[in-house]
Amino acid sequence: MTDVLLQWTSLCLTTGIEGFYIAIQGSINNLSAPKLFFSDKAKKFLKALALKFKSWVVSGMDLPTVSNHQRPLNKLVSQCRTHLQDKLGT
């Protein structure tokens, strides 16, 4: 696997491209771990994208009305907890 990572890293460095790949097995009976490669800029991009997605999910942006005013931290945590419990059905 290290040969593949070296080749991808070399390709990114020589061509100037940025990217990532994720390779997985096609069967749930196969216990192999996924194979991952991220160039530095692609890793930063995906982390930022994941954080934005997580904040969107936690904040309840899918709800019909969203308040634009700031709320105290304890109120925000309470609302997030309530929203998550409602979504989980607990």
Side-chain angles (χ1 to χ4, degrees):
M1 184 60 189
T2 57
D3 290 339
V4 173
L5 291 176
L6 288 173
Q7 290 174 354
W8 275 96
T9 303
S10 176
L11 180 65
C12 288
L13 291 173
T14 57
T15 62
I17 63 171
E18 299 291 338
F20 68 95
Y21 75 85
I22 301 171
I24 59 171
Q25 296 292 334
S27 168
I28 61 171
N29 295 330
N30 218 330
L31 300 176
S32 299
K35 307 300 181 202
L36 309 169
F37 170 80
F38 300 95
S39 65
D40 289 337
K41 286 185 182 178
K43 184 183 277 187
K44 289 176 187 175
F45 168 78
L46 289 173
K47 281 184 179 182
L49 182 64
L51 285 174
K52 286 180 183 180
F53 179 71
K54 181 179 178 182
S55 66
W56 177 78
V57 169
V58 170
S59 70
M61 291 297 285
D62 58 333
L63 299 175
T65 54
V66 176
S67 168
N68 287 335
H69 68 281
Q70 280 190 320
R71 292 169 278 188
L73 181 59
N74 61 342
K75 181 73 171 172
L76 184 59
V77 170
S78 174
Q79 288 176 340
C80 287
R81 186 178 307 141
T82 301
H83 181 69
L84 289 170
Q85 287 174 343
D86 288 346
K87 292 291 184 183
L88 293 172
T90 58

